[in-house]
Every structure is written in structure tokens, then in C-alpha cells.
């Protein structure tokens, strides 16, 4: 469970607010998405609610163990992929303890879930940005967290791997994990999220069920271009596609 109430952050006392009075709530096993234009404060919001930076107002409550997946890693140390993933088990180990056979089994299971088992013995420095992102997601899953927080987890991935990550997040939800992620793709929120937070400005946001919040009008105002959500049917189920009208201005 995640409960964020009246959260606000600015870099110092005289700087403008990045965001303020933002609230959201997710129950166990729910998925939430955060959407906003570049520079609106999505990453800062995640860091503030995780306690990586100190917010100036509001409160955050986590009921469970969180794991964080940043947008990428800038490490230049040539870790093997399997060794990096098993680092997700670090919080369960005693001081100076080494990973056990069970820790490595859980790491292997996490890599298989994300589809990177073939990369297990590769060096991180040999991987593409998208492959590194999948490694970080596997590391978070290996921690057996209760709450999974991800910053643009599909930003460097092709369509196939975007779909794989969304399936992994949906399976995590089915396993009772609460998931919160930022994205530039309203389509991804429609695909798997229960609720969405739209960040319009420092003190203006909208949070609620996806079907209510992700409307043509709200998305057009958020991005300042015309956007249409078009209904279609796939395998007997109703879906909506988000279509930006490039070259237009809302």
C-alpha cells in the first residue's frame, strides 16, 4: 500500500515549487501511473516519496518493503548481469554474508521473468541501455519487494520488450505487489494501471481511475496538442488507443 498526502518539494527555500499539495493512494496489488511532460517533476516526485530527497511538505506511508528501479545506471564497473541481479537480495543477507544458493535461484528466476537469462554471464558494460534497464527490473524483482516503484521503465525499450515489461508489472500486481511507475505513454497506463496521476503544474494535478482521468480533453491539456483515444476490440475485449495528432496545437 502507498499513501501520499499533500506532498511538496522545492530545491531550496527561495526556489519555485517543483510540485506541492500532491496526493495519491494505491492499495495492495494495485498499479498506478504518473504522467506529465518533460521537466514537470515526475522523477523528483518518486524520489521524494521514497525518501531519497526530503520533501518540504506532506507525508508518505508505505505498508511493505519497497524497491526502486531508476531510469538507468551509470555504473562503469563491469559487473556480470547475474551478480548485479543477486544484489537485490542484499537486504536479506547478514553482515559480510555471501549470497546463498537460494539467493541465486531467486535471481535466476527474476532474470527469466524479464527474459534476460541469456545475458546472465555478460558484463553490464557490454549491454545496451535497454538491456541494462531490464537488468535493473530483474534486480528489483529478486528483492521480493511488496512495493515496486519504477521511473520510466520502458523508455529505452523496443515494442517487444515494452510489452514484456508491462506483462511483468501486471504479473507483479497479480502476485499482490503494489506498482507505481512514471511514463510518457498514456497507452501503457491504459494497458495495466488502475489509477493515474496527471501532473499539470506545481500545484495542479489530477488523480483517479484511468478511465475517468485519461480523456481526450485532459491529455490534450497536459501535452498541448490534440489527442484522441479511439476504441477498438481485440480478442473479444474492448480497448482504447491513444493517438496524438502531431502538428496540431490544443
Amino acid at each position: 500500500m502507498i499513501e501520499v498526502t499533500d506532498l511538496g518539494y522545492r530545491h531550496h527555500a527561495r526556489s519555485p515549487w517543483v510540485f506541492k499539495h500532491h496526493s495519491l493512494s494505491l492499495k495492495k496489488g494495485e498499479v498506478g501511473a504518473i504522467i506529465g511532460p518533460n521537466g514537470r517533476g515526475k522523477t523528483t516526485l518518486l524520489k521524494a516519496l521514497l525518501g531519497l530527497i526530503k520533501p518540504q511538505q506532506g507525508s508518505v506511508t508505505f505498508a511493505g518493503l519497497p524497491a526502486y528501479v531508476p531510469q538507468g545506471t551509470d555504473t562503469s564497473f563491469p559487473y556480470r548481469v547475474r551478480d548485479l541481479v543477486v544484489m537485490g537480495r542484499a537486504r536479506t543477507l547478514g553482515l559480510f554474508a555471501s549470497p546463498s544458493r537460494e539467493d541465486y535461484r531467486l535471481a535466476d528466476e527474476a532474470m527469466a521473468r524479464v527474459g534476460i537469462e541469456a545475458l546472465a554471464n555478460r558484463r553490464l558494460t557490454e549491454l545496451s541501455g535497454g538491456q541494462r534497464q531490464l537488468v535493473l527490473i530483474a534486480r528489483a524483482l529478486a528483492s521480493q519487494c511488496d512495493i515496486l516503484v519504477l521511473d520510466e521503465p520502458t523508455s529505452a525499450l523496443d515494442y517487444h520488450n515494452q510489452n514484456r515489461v508491462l506483462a511483468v508489472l501486471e504479473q507483479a500486481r497479480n502476485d499482490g505487489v503494489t506498482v507505481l511507475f512514471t511514463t510518457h505513454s498514456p497507452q501503457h497506463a491504459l494497458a495495466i494501471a488502475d489509477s493515474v496521476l496527471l501532473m499539470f503544474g506545481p500545484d495542479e494535478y489530477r488523480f483517479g481511475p484511468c478511465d475517468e482521468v485519461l480523456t481526450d480533453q485532459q491529455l490534450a491539456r497536459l501535452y498541448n496538442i490534440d489527442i484522441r483515444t479511439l476504441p477498438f476490440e481485440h480478442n473479444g475485449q474492448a480497448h482504447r488507443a491513444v493517438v496524438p495528432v502531431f502538428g496540431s496545437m490544443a
Side-chain angles (χ1 to χ4, degrees):
M1 182 271 288
I2 304 174
E3 190 73 38
V4 179
T5 304
D6 204 34
L7 201 67
Y9 178 81
R10 54 185 175 181
H11 297 293
H12 53 80
R14 295 186 178 182
S15 66
W17 289 92
V18 179
F19 57 85
K20 59 180 178 178
H21 304 308
H22 279 39
S23 299
L24 65 91
S25 179
L26 294 173
K27 298 177 182 177
K28 177 180 172 65
E30 287 188 339
V31 176
I34 299 174
I35 300 176
N38 291 329
R40 192 52 51 85
K42 299 184 298 298
T43 298
T44 304
L45 176 59
L46 291 189
K47 290 181 177 180
L49 67 87
L50 285 164
L52 300 176
I53 56 176
K54 185 178 180 180
Q56 283 76 32
Q57 65 173 209
S59 63
V60 179
T61 301
F62 283 162
L65 181 68
Y68 177 47
V69 181
Q71 287 190 43
T73 177
D74 58 0
T75 182
S76 58
F77 193 83
Y79 292 110
R80 284 196 317 154
V81 167
R82 191 172 187 238
D83 292 334
L84 188 66
V85 173
V86 85
M87 289 180 189
R89 305 294 304 155
R91 69 184 78 193
T92 68
L93 302 178
L95 189 63
F96 304 123
S98 298
S100 66
R101 182 176 298 179
E102 175 65 6
D103 292 321
Y104 278 107
R105 185 190 70 78
L106 291 169
D108 291 342
E109 182 180 279
M111 287 189 292
R113 288 176 66 180
V114 181
I116 59 169
E117 57 267 52
L119 302 178
N121 292 312
R122 295 275 299 278
R123 301 291 179 180
L124 194 65
T125 50
E126 300 171 353
L127 304 185
S128 69
Q131 289 172 324
R132 290 188 185 196
Q133 190 69 6
L134 294 171
V135 172
L136 295 181
I137 294 171
R139 182 178 65 179
L141 293 173
S143 74
Q144 296 186 306
C145 58
D146 305 299
I147 299 165
L148 185 57
V149 180
L150 310 97
D151 193 6
E152 297 188 27
T154 62
S155 61
L157 303 180
D158 58 38
Y159 281 154
H160 174 81
N161 282 312
Q162 287 180 36
N163 189 58
R164 182 186 294 277
V165 168
L166 293 178
V168 167
L169 299 186
E170 193 162 28
Q171 183 58 54
R173 181 251 303 279
N174 294 339
D175 292 339
V177 176
T178 304
V179 178
L180 179 64
F181 68 101
T182 64
T183 181
H184 280 297
S185 174
Q187 192 68 53
H188 292 173
L190 282 173
I192 66 168
D194 301 291
S195 302
V196 62
L197 175 75
L198 300 185
M199 299 181 72
F200 290 102
D203 57 357
E204 184 182 5
Y205 74 96
R206 177 84 186 273
F207 176 73
C210 285
D211 288 343
E212 296 178 10
V213 175
L214 290 177
T215 65
D216 296 5
Q217 294 79 13
Q218 296 278 16
L219 289 171
R221 187 162 72 91
L222 186 70
Y223 289 111
N224 195 34
I225 65 169
D226 287 332
I227 292 179
R228 298 288 183 265
T229 56
L230 306 177
F232 68 98
E233 185 176 297
H234 179 66
N235 290 337
Q237 294 185 333
H239 298 270
R240 282 196 293 158
V242 178
V243 182
V245 184
F246 292 114
S248 68
M249 296 296 289

